[in-house]
Amino acid sequence: MLDDLKMIHTRDKEDALGVAAKQCDYFSREFSATFAPTGDIKNIVLAGMGGSALPGVVLGSWPRLRVPFEIVRGYDLPAYVGPNTLVISSSYSGNTEETLEALKQAEEGGAQIVVVAAGGKLAEIANQKNYPLFAIPSGIQPRMATFYFVNAFIAILEPLGVTVDDTSELRQVGQWLKPFVDQWGPTVPTSQNYAKQIALELIGKTPIIYSGPKMFPAANKWKIACNENGKNTAWCNYYPEFNHNEFIGWSSHPVEKPFALVEIRSELEHPRVQRRFAVSEKLLSGLRPSPLVVQPIGDTLLQQLVWATALGDFVTIYLGLLNGIDPTPVGLVEKLKVELG
């Protein structure tokens, strides 16, 4: 079915596959804005929801930060936010009500503020109050702008000297990724297309994605993309946390579990994490579906993260097509906003 280009064209009305293919270009985005702190930055808070918060998860894995960092997915900022806090207000639409409320609290706390948005009220406020605005191109779904956001966050943080790892690799990683993305496109037949093959394994089931801590940003993106591209329930978790609770949940009923497991296993994870994958698979044999093991390609952590993330986008777009729907729209979210008023 996934080799039927007519079917793909009919269902993929907004060209989600084309958008996914263009993500390689997002790493070279240049921003006209700059951020010059007015005092020491002692902690950083990212206020954002959904796809606008996801790139913050990446920062916890790569390039890591030397100062305390927290993601706020809600209305209220931590009580410690003050003049030595950098608050990054992140909303693709610029109209996310939680982020706008958090921005008010950042202002009340005297925090230093940077805005990342494609427009909306957030961009208007930034222009009115002269907050640095790192503008993301409009016209795509927030979940497909992850690499744009990562690029923007690095542009904000790199001059501050708060990153642990060298961020210069970001400029070249898109070019490195492109040959792999080309292999997952719609014209590549299923027999040679890893993304199509995985999508066929997931159809009709609830995907559960596990990883280690370093690959968790990719696992989290797979979960979000399953929800929004595939219109599929899904969840994710990571080792070793998995072994301290969710591990036991697999040991009981129901015997027939309507799930599909994907485990993103990287050799860059802590050796004990790698062992936990193997031991857990052995102990849970027969109690859960056998995991579909995805081994990220790449010599560096960043390469593996972007490879696994991009693969998940293609997999879940194909999953949406198999589910018989257009992967792009999220109409129920718009209805929710109307109901909330």
Side-chain angles (χ1 to χ4, degrees):
M1 176 179 279
L2 290 177
D3 292 339
D4 183 346
L5 296 181
K6 182 178 180 180
M7 179 278 290
I8 290 176
H9 179 73
T10 300
R11 293 182 182 176
D12 188 13
K13 296 181 178 63
E14 298 186 45
D15 194 23
L17 286 167
V19 173
K22 293 176 183 176
Q23 290 184 95
C24 297
D25 299 331
Y26 297 175
F27 298 101
S28 57
R29 171 76 177 178
E30 296 289 339
F31 296 93
S32 59
T34 58
F35 169 61
T38 57
D40 291 341
I41 299 297
K42 295 184 178 179
N43 48 70
I44 299 172
V45 173
L46 169 64
M49 305 296 299
S52 300
L54 176 65
V57 182
V58 177
L59 298 183
S61 179
W62 182 94
R64 300 178 296 162
L65 301 178
R66 300 182 190 278
V67 296
F69 173 67
E70 182 172 352
I71 301 173
V72 172
R73 296 181 177 90
Y75 298 91
D76 297 315
L77 294 183
Y80 62 75
V81 168
N84 295 117
T85 303
L86 168 60
V87 174
I88 303 175
S89 294
S90 176
S91 167
Y92 185 82
S93 70
N95 296 318
T96 306
E97 66 176 48
E98 298 95 329
T99 307
L100 290 167
E101 174 61 26
L103 176 60
K104 292 180 182 178
Q105 295 183 21
E107 292 173 334
E108 292 168 359
Q112 302 184 53
I113 296 170
V114 174
V115 171
V116 182
K121 294 178 181 177
L122 200 57
E124 291 176 8
I125 293 170
N127 288 325
Q128 291 168 3
K129 299 185 177 182
N130 292 319
Y131 297 144
L133 172 59
F134 288 75
I136 305 295
S138 60
I140 57 178
Q141 289 289 334
R143 63 187 179 274
M144 302 305 290
T146 298
F147 295 153
Y148 269 134
F149 275 97
V150 171
N151 198 3
F153 293 168
I154 295 302
I156 295 166
L157 300 173
E158 189 175 42
L160 304 181
V162 297
T163 58
V164 175
D165 301 310
D166 183 8
T167 59
S168 62
E169 183 189 359
L170 189 69
R171 313 293 183 265
Q172 291 80 40
V173 75
Q175 184 177 358
W176 173 86
L177 179 64
K178 191 176 187 310
F180 299 103
V181 167
D182 291 342
Q183 295 172 13
W184 303 326
T187 59
V188 179
T190 300
S191 60
Q192 302 169 38
N193 192 316
Y194 192 35
K196 290 182 179 180
Q197 293 168 11
I198 296 175
L200 289 167
E201 293 287 334
L202 303 184
I203 185 68
K205 302 170 185 176
T206 295
I208 304 173
I209 304 95
Y210 294 130
S211 71
K214 292 183 178 180
M215 286 292 115
F216 185 66
N220 195 14
K221 178 65 186 296
W222 275 60
K223 182 266 180 191
I224 290 174
C226 281
N227 297 153
E228 297 196 338
N229 292 336
K231 313 301 188 281
N232 234 98
T233 54
W235 72 77
C236 61
N237 203 348
Y238 60 91
Y239 288 79
E241 175 66 17
F242 167 83
N243 288 132
H244 292 268
N245 38 67
E246 196 167 317
F247 175 65
I248 301 299
W250 284 107
S251 64
S252 183
H253 58 284
V255 175
E256 296 296 329
K257 298 180 174 69
F259 307 116
L261 264 65
V262 176
E263 291 193 337
I264 304 175
R265 301 186 186 182
S266 169
E267 78 281 2
L268 301 179
E269 300 284 1
H270 191 286
R272 297 295 292 176
V273 168
Q274 296 182 54
R275 177 155 176 75
R276 282 175 181 272
F277 275 113
V279 173
S280 297
E281 182 176 1
K282 175 183 176 182
L283 294 176
L284 291 175
S285 178
L287 298 174
R288 67 174 188 175
S290 297
L292 191 163
V293 177
V294 173
Q295 295 181 312
I297 292 175
D299 297 326
T300 68
L301 179 57
L302 179 60
Q303 287 179 348
Q304 291 196 8
L305 279 170
V306 300
W307 182 93
T309 299
L311 173 64
D313 285 334
F314 279 89
V315 168
T316 54
I317 291 169
Y318 287 128
L319 179 60
L321 297 176
L322 289 171
N323 283 335
I325 48 86
D326 184 346
T328 300
V330 286
L332 200 58
V333 173
E334 301 307 319
K335 290 181 180 179
L336 174 67
K337 292 177 181 178
V338 172
E339 290 292 325
L340 287 172

